Amino acid sequence: MSFHDIKYIELGDSKTVEEKRGVFTVKKLVLLVFAALAVGLFHPSINCFTGVDTVAKTDGSSFSASDSALCPIPSKVPIKEHDAIQYILTDNEYKKDVIERFSKSLQIETVIYDDTTDYSEMQKFHDYLEESFPLVYKTADVYKINTYGLVFHFPGSNEDLKPIMLAAHMDTVPIGDPSDWKESPFSGRFDGDKFHGRGASDCKNLLVGLMEAAEKLIADGKSNFERGVILAFGYDEEASGWQGAHHIGEFIEKKFGANSIEAIVDEGPVMFLDFMGDYYSMIISGEKGYSDLTVEVDTPGGHSSLPKDHTSIGMISKFIYDYENDPFEAILVPENPMMGFFECAAEQGHLPKPLADAGKNARFDEKARDVILSYSHDNTFLKYLLRTSQAIDIINGGDKANSLPRSVSAVINHRIVYGNDVDTVWSKAAKHGTTVAKKYNIGLTVNDEVLFPETENGNMVISYFGPPLKTAKPTSTKSEFWGEFTGLIKSFYEDEVYPEKFETGSKNFIITPSIMTGNTDTRHYWNLTDNIFRVQPGSLNMFEANVHGPNEWVDLETHLQSISFYYNYISHFSIKEE
Ligand SMILES: *[C@@H]1O[C@H](CO)[C@@H](O)[C@H](O)[C@H]1NC(C)=O
């Protein structure tokens, strides 16, 4: 998961974040909304949604709590493996073995960089897996994909049932500055509560948890798979997955066919987040698209004692300055899973009334959407879930103090939100390119189209830096699988893991669709199924767990939840009742 995937969770625990990072918190933002309302910054009608296009509201009153059609609460799904779950969560002897095995996984340095070409360290991780999980290797068909990708296939006896697939990745990001770490990033030390080390949270906990679940199922004699099970582990997720997941996706599509998988669950936010006064399971059911553009300015150059008023560096600077000062507009379309998030949070959560009202009406009422969009503007959590982001990430140009620069270029990264597409990005590039071309009388070509021919002063060309990616097709929240999956999550946390947290009924467990700002390996799995979920068992605050930062950790509790949740999940979907 890339860093920005995680960032949005940072506001999950407003207290800790506020104390530790001093960033804007949800609570502060709620106050801000109230303050803004008080001084009339928002349209006055937001307290009385009477927009003509508001539906399902005939009496003019606000929605009541029982009016919950927008976001149905999943029905609990009976837990098949209660005994095994409780054993995994509580048995001390079992825990000892789990701790030892997981600690070992953290001692293997599976760090990758953007430009890594030698992945041979991954072989050590393979060796570790084979040694630690012998029953999985004995029982499954094991495929090594593009050398270090791993696919474990447990064939099912009923070919009419599509297999379920569970994904994770074995690579980690680098450690950064070693002096920022309080202890060795690869010690795998367990302090009685937490495991310390790079990759603990992202995402060896999940990968090893899946292996533990499968190993224990087999050890418990539960290997009569009726529905096939696939475990798929990439090895360069942190560098976009072109070596691992991409080849795994192709392999599975070739072997099983397109749309041959029932559902894929990959890494994502933890399933149990203490957030905004309730417990949330934010299931990532879509991903933003992206496009990287190169902007290049060429001028004739020459001796710097006789310069023109503007060099190619000056010209591109004007472009970049204008571009950064013209952010993309916030937008919330029904297709964006965040629409579902607001509906669920509004109906079931403890949001301030103006925001709750906006959430309930946003799908049909532009004014309600505007309330949310204004709210998102200064909110780190929401800002880039509701707008396309832009970041100037590379700049090159100039070679000598006394010669004019000829060719200068910059690369701009965009993460495209639902409701925008690559054309949104192209038209902004063309707009600012035109300003610069006219001002300096140079040519302009945008996406291979010549808007102004090259002049003797020079030329600007804006083109793709790499292939763009569309926004992911959102996973439906109406499917049978969504109901079953979310029902399992609800039963698991409310009845098996944290029954005491639900005794007073003061907080709800709200299961919502959502998106994140970055991508996972699942972009390579789009052809395999429409049911793609990015979420993982656990209850820690992933921001506190320093994912991608120094001193990354994961707690044993989260690791045991990974094992027990997937033990039950695989049994539920795939193991035949005796
Ligand atoms: C998915 O299917 C399309 C159409 O057959 C194909 O062009 C594309 O390469 C496939 N994607 C992957 C990641 O395999």
Side-chain angles (χ1 to χ4, degrees):
M1 197 157 22
S2 78
F3 180 68
H4 291 285
D5 304 346
I6 303 297
K7 265 213 102 170
Y8 78 97
I9 298 171
E10 73 192 53
L11 294 170
D13 180 346
S14 49
K15 251 199 315 280
T16 14
V17 170
E18 185 172 2
E19 281 158 8
K20 293 189 176 163
R21 305 280 164 160
V23 303
F24 226 25
T25 67
V26 168
K27 277 185 191 147
K28 277 189 198 163
L29 285 157
V30 167
L31 290 175
L32 179 80
V33 168
F34 281 131
L37 285 169
V39 299
L41 278 183
F42 290 137
H43 192 283
S45 73
I46 69 152
N47 278 320
C48 47
F49 288 105
T50 50
V52 284
D53 47 356
T54 302
V55 302
K57 232 183 69 177
T58 48
D59 60 358
S61 68
S62 60
F63 283 92
S64 68
S66 62
D67 190 355
S68 59
L70 291 174
C71 176
I73 299 172
S75 310
K76 283 186 186 173
V77 171
I79 293 286
K80 194 172 152 192
E81 300 289 355
H82 167 79
D83 292 349
I85 291 172
Q86 292 308 320
Y87 175 84
I88 293 167
L89 293 176
T90 60
D91 187 85
N92 284 329
E93 284 306 304
Y94 179 68
K95 277 186 205 172
K96 249 192 241 162
D97 295 341
V98 164
I99 289 165
E100 197 186 310
R101 280 191 292 265
F102 185 50
S103 169
K104 270 192 203 159
S105 79
L106 298 176
Q107 294 165 32
I108 305 161
E109 302 187 23
T110 54
V111 167
I112 65 155
Y113 298 83
D114 279 343
D115 57 356
T116 294
T117 50
D118 177 0
Y119 291 92
S120 54
E121 283 296 302
M122 300 294 165
Q123 185 55 48
K124 290 186 191 150
F125 199 76
H126 285 207
D127 296 343
Y128 151 79
L129 289 177
E130 189 158 1
E131 196 186 300
S132 306
F133 304 103
L135 297 178
V136 171
Y137 273 81
K138 221 173 104 187
T139 312
D141 298 333
V142 184
Y143 299 93
K144 295 186 180 180
I145 311 296
N146 194 24
T147 316
Y148 296 118
L150 275 173
V151 171
F152 299 90
H153 177 219
F154 302 89
S157 56
N158 184 343
E159 305 229 316
D160 294 338
L161 299 175
K162 293 179 179 179
I164 49 170
M165 176 165 153
L166 300 164
H169 60 88
M170 53 191 105
D171 57 299
T172 74
V173 294
I175 60 166
D177 185 343
S179 68
D180 289 340
W181 287 76
K182 294 200 195 97
E183 53 192 294
S184 159
F186 303 105
S187 69
R189 189 173 76 86
F190 178 65
D191 67 9
D193 172 38
K194 298 181 176 87
F195 300 89
H196 299 267
R198 172 57 82 227
S201 260
D202 184 7
C203 77
K204 286 180 176 172
N205 150 54
L206 174 63
L207 190 153
V208 175
L210 288 167
M211 293 297 280
E212 290 280 6
E215 184 80 2
K216 183 159 169 49
L217 278 165
I218 303 163
D220 292 349
K222 295 171 188 168
S223 53
N224 47 337
F225 296 93
E226 188 180 18
R227 180 196 295 279
V229 178
I230 295 168
L231 307 182
F233 305 143
Y235 60 95
D236 65 336
E237 190 275 345
E238 302 291 1
S240 297
W242 291 102
Q243 300 299 322
H246 185 70
H247 290 273
I248 290 172
E250 282 181 346
F251 167 77
I252 293 175
E253 187 175 350
K254 211 163 145 202
K255 185 170 166 63
F256 298 93
N259 199 23
S260 60
I261 302 295
E262 180 69 27
I264 297 174
V265 191
D266 195 5
E267 59 167 341
V270 292
M271 283 178 188
F272 197 82
L273 283 167
D274 196 336
F275 183 53
M276 297 196 297
D278 288 287
Y279 303 116
Y280 278 83
S281 217
M282 294 170 64
I283 298 177
I284 305 302
S285 52
E287 292 187 0
K288 291 174 89 174
Y290 69 68
S291 78
D292 291 337
L293 300 188
T294 302
V295 183
E296 190 177 334
V297 176
D298 285 286
T299 56
H303 199 278
S304 26
S305 60
L306 274 175
K308 294 258 171 57
D309 288 347
H310 299 278
T311 68
S312 37
I313 290 178
M315 293 176 191
I316 204 167
S317 301
K318 162 83 178 148
F319 178 90
I320 290 171
Y321 180 82
D322 290 352
Y323 204 85
E324 281 199 334
N325 284 299
D326 180 26
F328 289 90
E329 277 186 30
I331 179 171
L332 177 58
V333 294
E335 195 198 6
N336 188 340
M338 289 308 291
M339 184 71 89
F341 170 82
F342 284 111
E343 289 173 341
C344 293
E347 265 183 0
Q348 297 167 29
H350 291 86
L351 297 186
K353 190 167 184 312
L355 199 59
D357 286 345
K360 286 173 194 163
N361 290 286
R363 194 174 290 267
F364 311 104
D365 183 338
E366 198 182 326
K367 292 199 185 84
R369 280 197 293 280
D370 285 346
V371 173
I372 292 171
L373 295 176
S374 317
Y375 179 82
S376 78
H377 191 265
D378 297 313
N379 182 320
T380 352
F381 161 65
L382 289 176
K383 184 167 183 176
Y384 287 114
L385 301 180
L386 302 181
R387 77 176 69 213
T388 298
S389 64
Q390 58 184 29
I392 321 285
D393 284 337
I394 301 177
I395 187 155
N396 283 307
D399 41 34
K400 207 166 177 311
N402 63 356
S403 60
L404 297 172
R406 298 166 72 90
S407 179
V408 176
S409 67
V411 176
I412 314 177
N413 173 274
H414 303 90
R415 309 291 178 129
I416 302 171
V417 75
Y418 288 92
N420 287 171
D421 56 23
V422 288
D423 289 337
T424 319
V425 174
W426 280 125
S427 53
K428 179 167 152 177
K431 173 177 143 191
H432 293 293
T434 300
T435 305
V436 171
K438 284 186 172 161
K439 184 173 169 69
Y440 304 116
N441 187 24
I442 58 174
L444 176 66
T445 297
V446 176
N447 195 18
D448 291 333
E449 195 186 331
V450 179
L451 300 184
F452 303 101
E454 185 173 347
T455 72
E456 58 178 19
N457 289 342
N459 198 28
M460 174 182 254
V461 176
I462 308 176
S463 53
Y464 278 124
F465 176 75
L469 182 74
K470 337 181 260 200
T471 48
K473 181 178 169 189
T475 299
S476 169
T477 58
K478 307 265 184 283
S479 73
E480 209 176 306
F481 197 91
W482 176 276
E484 194 91 350
F485 183 49
T486 53
L488 274 176
I489 293 173
K490 192 169 169 67
S491 304
F492 181 73
Y493 279 100
E494 291 192 3
D495 299 340
E496 297 289 333
V497 184
Y498 294 129
E500 74 286 352
K501 289 191 197 280
F502 293 95
E503 272 163 17
T504 63
S506 61
K507 287 183 174 186
N508 294 325
F509 188 28
I510 305 171
I511 304 180
T512 77
S514 182
I515 60 169
M516 45 190 188
T517 53
N519 301 82
T520 62
D521 269 344
T522 54
R523 85 188 75 171
H524 301 293
Y525 301 151
W526 289 353
N527 287 353
L528 305 180
T529 180
D530 286 340
N531 289 325
I532 301 186
F533 306 86
R534 303 141 192 99
V535 67
Q536 65 197 54
S539 54
L540 53 67
N541 176 323
M542 288 177 95
F543 184 61
E544 277 183 43
N546 299 322
V547 172
H548 287 212
N551 305 309
E552 181 178 348
W553 55 265
V554 74
D555 55 333
L556 176 61
E557 196 171 325
T558 286
H559 190 51
L560 296 173
Q561 287 172 20
S562 299
I563 303 170
S564 51
F565 180 84
Y566 279 117
Y567 186 101
N568 185 67
Y569 179 95
I570 295 172
S571 173
H572 179 89
F573 285 108
S574 292
I575 312 278
K576 219 173 174 162
E577 294 287 355
E578 289 303 332

